[in-house]
């Protein structure tokens, strides 16, 4: 009877999850079929093409161009800020309808995506520290390290000349990470798209440009191969119109023209203006932590009792669950759930659901082991004594074993809570805007890594210490009770 109830409960949860995913998939399909609103993926830390301003609004050349074209062609869109690599993967998985993210038109990408007409002619330049007077050309890079951003024209160009000039490539996911690596002296130079690096230099990122612009691929708006052709046609038509009426030139001048705005904030003013977005990210971090731990606890209870139960099949199922979700790195699990499963099954998964599933399954595997270890730490004589007095197995477990096991489990539960809170930062790779990602967004706009990362670290520290102290207090109360 007990095994049947557990199995029925697990089956019910699975059916609810599948029905929920089907509903989301149906809604996504309906939205796509209506043609009224297109979901557009973009980068979030690629100024001046796309970034978040101090008011929390997405701005930049790409964002303003898209908005102008949408108004000209009378279509609606929704921005999905994911980061470049995540946006490209989302387009492959049909999680978004299009991508505009300073995306270079290359033959390799043409095999997977359909591109608009080029909307910006870029190129590659080399940047070095503003205080460096020794590196003036590619010949000066021999035997040194050069920073590049993955998936960019700068990366491709660096690869093409690395063996000729004898330097080592150091790849990064974000532009500001390249700049920081050059500023700290780990790399002597970086290769970057000319308008991006020129914008950064103007915003006092600590670098200077020392080479002429190399020819590079132009930027284009992308859709999946053979899909959303009407969107592509509207983009091309709108691009022609805004070039003709002068709107295109106005947008370009606003961000990379001679009179482009330059930020000039002091350290404390910068931190003060950044706090609202950082606190918003912290709120999301706490939300994802609480919700995922709630489901992780339910999962842990189910599989924990299965592991200490008397049914060999259920023990085997629980063991396989723990081995899988403890064995897969969290970042790989996030990519698989958010990109892999939807692409294989043909539906769109909301980011919130993917994040909660990832954290819950990962934490649930560890909670399972916490519960198993806590129960098995109680001397078997306790159960044998209870059974000898006539108590049924279930009642003996609830009345005798579990109350003692809970006291043993509490420190481990506290530790798992802290781990899960910090693990939310990993999910920034799939576009989750929590505290860490909020910090990246601010740095992409301000190029103030030290100040912002110090602020983020202090915020994490305060929250984790506070939660730990509260949990320690509750642990003492439980032990005394």
């Amino acid at each position: 009877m007990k095994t049947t109830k557990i199995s029925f409960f697990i089956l019910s949860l699975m059916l609810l999850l599948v029905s929920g995913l089907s509903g989301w998939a149906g809604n996504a399909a309906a939205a796509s079929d209506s043609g009224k609103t297109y979901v557009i993926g973009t980068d979030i830390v690629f100024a001046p093409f796309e970034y978040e301003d101090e008011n929390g609004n997405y701005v930049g050349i790409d964002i303003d161009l898209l908005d102008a074209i949408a108004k000209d062609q009378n279509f609606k869109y929704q921005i999905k800020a994911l980061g470049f690599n995540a946006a490209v993967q989302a387009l492959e998985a049909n999680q978004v309808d299009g991508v505009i993210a300073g995306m270079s038109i290359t033959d390799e990408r043409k095999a997977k995506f359909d591109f608009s007409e080029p909307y910006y002619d870029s190129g590659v330049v080399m940047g070095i520290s503003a205080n460096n007077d020794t590196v003036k050309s590619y010949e000066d890079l021999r035997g040194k390290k050069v920073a590049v951003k993955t998936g960019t024209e700068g990366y491709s160009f660096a690869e093409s000349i690395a063996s000729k000039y004898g330097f080592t490539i150091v790849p990064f996911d974000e532009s500001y990470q390249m700049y920081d690596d050059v500023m700290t002296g780990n790399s002597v130079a970086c290769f970057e798209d000319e308008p991006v690096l020129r914008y950064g230099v103007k915003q006092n990122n600590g670098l200077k440009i020392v080479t002429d612009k190399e020819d590079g691929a132009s930027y284009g708006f992308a859709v999946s191969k053979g899909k959303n052709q009407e969107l592509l046609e509207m983009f091309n038509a709108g691009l022609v119109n805004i070039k003709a009426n002068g709107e295109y030139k106005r947008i370009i001048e606003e961000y990379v023209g001679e009179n482009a705005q330059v930020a000039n904030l002091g350290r404390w003013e910068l931190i003060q203006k950044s706090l609202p977005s950082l606190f918003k990210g912290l709120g999301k971090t706490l939300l994802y932590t609480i919700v995922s731990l709630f489901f992780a606890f339910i999962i842990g209870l189910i599989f924990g009792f299965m592991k200490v139960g008397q049914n060999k099949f259920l023990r085997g199922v629980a063991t396989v669950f723990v081995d899988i979700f403890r064995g897969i790195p969290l970042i790989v699990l996030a990519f698989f759930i958010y990109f892999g499963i939807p692409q294989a099954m043909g539906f769109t998964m909301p980011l919130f659901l993917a994040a909660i599933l990832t954290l819950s399954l990962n934490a649930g595997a560890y909670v399972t082991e916490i519960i198993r270890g806590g129960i098995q730490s109680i001397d078997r004589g306790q159960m044998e004594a209870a059974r000898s007095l006539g108590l049924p197995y279930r009642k003996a477990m609830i009345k005798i074993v579990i109350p003692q096991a809970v006291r043993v489990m509490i420190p481990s539960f506290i530790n798992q809570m802290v781990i899960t809170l910090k693990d939310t930062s990993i999910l920034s790779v799939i576009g989750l805007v929590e505290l860490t990602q909020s910090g990246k967004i601010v740095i992409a706009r301000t190029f103030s890594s030290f100040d912002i990362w110090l602020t983020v670290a202090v915020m994490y520290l305060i929250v984790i210490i506070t939660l730990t102290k509260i949990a320690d207090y509750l642990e003492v109360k439980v032990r005394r009770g």
Side-chain angles (χ1 to χ4, degrees):
M1 180 64 71
K2 179 173 63 179
T3 300
T4 303
K5 288 181 179 179
I6 293 175
S7 301
F8 177 76
F9 182 60
I10 295 172
L11 180 60
S12 299
L13 285 177
M14 292 175 65
L15 289 173
L16 284 172
L17 180 60
V18 171
S19 64
L21 291 176
S22 300
W24 276 308
N27 292 338
S32 179
D33 291 339
S34 70
K36 294 182 179 179
T37 302
Y38 295 96
V39 179
I40 308 299
T42 188
D43 199 347
I44 201 169
V45 289
F46 195 59
F49 287 91
E50 48 267 334
Y51 61 99
E52 187 178 282
D53 66 15
E54 61 186 33
N55 298 317
N57 300 315
Y58 296 125
V59 296
I61 294 173
D62 285 354
I63 304 300
D64 289 4
L65 285 178
L66 178 64
D67 188 64
I69 290 171
K71 288 177 180 176
D72 181 82
Q73 295 294 303
N74 195 30
F75 68 86
K76 297 179 181 178
Y77 68 92
Q78 174 191 347
I79 289 292
K80 202 168 187 179
L82 298 169
F84 181 77
N85 291 331
V88 173
Q89 291 184 64
L91 186 59
E92 288 185 273
N94 297 315
Q95 294 277 62
V96 296
D97 299 309
V99 166
I100 185 166
M103 190 171 179
S104 300
I105 304 172
T106 64
D107 292 336
E108 183 180 9
R109 287 173 179 162
K110 283 182 179 180
K112 295 182 179 180
F113 310 117
D114 289 329
F115 282 93
S116 68
E117 292 299 317
Y119 65 82
Y120 194 94
D121 293 326
S122 184
V124 178
V125 291
M126 183 173 76
I128 63 173
S129 172
N131 300 320
N132 188 338
D133 295 324
T134 60
V135 176
K136 298 178 181 179
S137 65
Y138 304 145
E139 285 81 3
D140 298 324
L141 300 178
R142 189 168 302 278
K144 297 180 174 63
K145 295 180 181 179
V146 173
V148 291
K149 180 181 177 181
T150 57
T152 64
E153 280 290 295
Y155 188 99
S156 300
F157 178 73
E159 274 192 320
S160 69
I161 66 170
S163 58
K164 178 180 178 180
Y165 294 103
F167 60 82
T168 302
I169 292 175
V170 182
F172 293 93
D173 288 332
E174 310 294 352
S175 293
Y176 74 86
Q177 294 172 336
M178 287 196 305
Y179 307 157
D180 288 345
D181 201 54
V182 174
M183 290 293 294
T184 57
N186 294 322
S187 294
V188 72
C190 67
F191 287 104
E192 176 68 290
D193 291 4
E194 187 270 341
V196 178
L197 186 54
R198 191 168 298 282
Y199 174 84
V201 170
K202 197 166 186 177
Q203 300 297 323
N204 302 313
N205 68 352
L207 302 185
K208 62 182 179 182
I209 298 172
V210 293
T211 60
D212 295 329
K213 184 174 72 171
E214 300 282 353
D215 292 334
S218 300
Y219 294 163
F221 174 76
V223 297
S224 292
K225 200 75 175 174
K227 296 185 178 181
N228 291 309
Q229 295 302 300
E230 76 288 348
L231 175 60
L232 202 59
E233 292 172 5
M234 287 190 290
F235 187 93
N236 285 329
L239 183 61
V240 171
N241 291 343
I242 66 171
K243 283 185 175 181
N245 64 25
E247 181 66 8
Y248 175 87
K249 183 178 180 180
R250 185 198 66 78
I251 291 171
I252 299 299
E253 288 294 320
E254 180 180 350
Y255 291 98
V256 294
E258 291 297 325
N259 298 318
Q261 186 176 0
V262 178
N264 189 21
L265 298 176
R267 170 168 291 179
W268 296 112
E269 186 181 3
L270 168 65
I271 294 174
Q272 184 180 9
K273 286 184 174 293
S274 303
L275 282 177
S277 61
L278 294 179
F279 276 120
K280 185 177 178 181
L282 177 60
K284 290 185 178 180
T285 291
L286 293 173
L287 173 64
Y288 284 110
T289 301
I290 293 169
V291 174
S292 60
L293 283 177
F294 172 78
F295 288 110
F297 186 71
I298 294 175
I299 293 170
L301 279 175
I302 295 170
F303 288 100
F305 283 113
M306 288 168 62
K307 286 205 76 170
V308 298
Q310 298 173 320
N311 187 294
K312 290 184 178 180
F313 173 75
L314 293 181
R315 286 204 305 271
V317 170
T319 300
V320 170
F321 168 79
V322 171
D323 289 345
I324 289 175
F325 290 106
R326 284 205 311 179
I328 299 175
L330 189 64
I331 190 172
V332 176
L333 183 61
F335 281 134
F336 178 73
I337 289 176
Y338 189 53
F339 298 124
I341 294 177
Q343 185 177 25
M345 300 181 66
F347 68 89
T348 300
M349 180 178 290
L351 180 59
F352 178 85
L353 175 62
I356 295 301
L357 276 176
T358 302
L359 291 170
S360 297
L361 291 171
N362 177 265
Y366 287 96
V367 172
T368 297
E369 285 300 288
I370 291 171
I371 292 174
R372 177 202 60 78
I375 291 174
Q376 291 184 343
S377 69
I378 306 304
D379 193 282
R380 290 186 178 182
Q382 300 274 350
M383 176 63 76
E384 293 172 359
R387 297 301 298 275
S388 66
L389 293 173
L391 286 177
Y393 177 86
R394 182 178 178 183
K395 197 165 187 177
M397 183 68 73
I398 294 173
K399 296 288 187 181
I400 306 298
V401 177
I402 292 179
Q404 298 179 74
V406 166
R407 292 182 173 88
V408 176
M409 298 176 199
I410 287 177
S412 297
F413 281 137
I414 295 170
N415 187 53
Q416 185 57 48
M417 175 187 68
V418 172
I419 290 172
T420 302
L421 189 146
K422 291 190 289 187
D423 280 349
T424 58
S425 63
I426 297 176
L427 298 187
S428 63
V429 297
I430 61 172
L432 186 69
V433 183
E434 37 61 69
L435 180 54
T436 299
Q437 183 76 330
S438 297
K440 291 180 182 179
I441 293 169
V442 174
I443 293 169
R445 179 179 74 246
T446 63
F447 303 101
S448 300
S449 295
F450 176 81
D451 296 329
I452 300 304
W453 284 134
L454 178 61
T455 304
V456 169
V458 170
M459 292 174 73
Y460 271 117
L461 192 62
I462 292 173
V463 170
I464 289 174
I465 290 176
T466 301
L467 291 176
T468 302
K469 294 300 181 183
I470 293 173
D472 289 344
Y473 172 77
L474 294 176
E475 179 186 357
V476 171
K477 295 285 286 184
V478 170
R479 289 185 181 277
R480 289 177 179 177

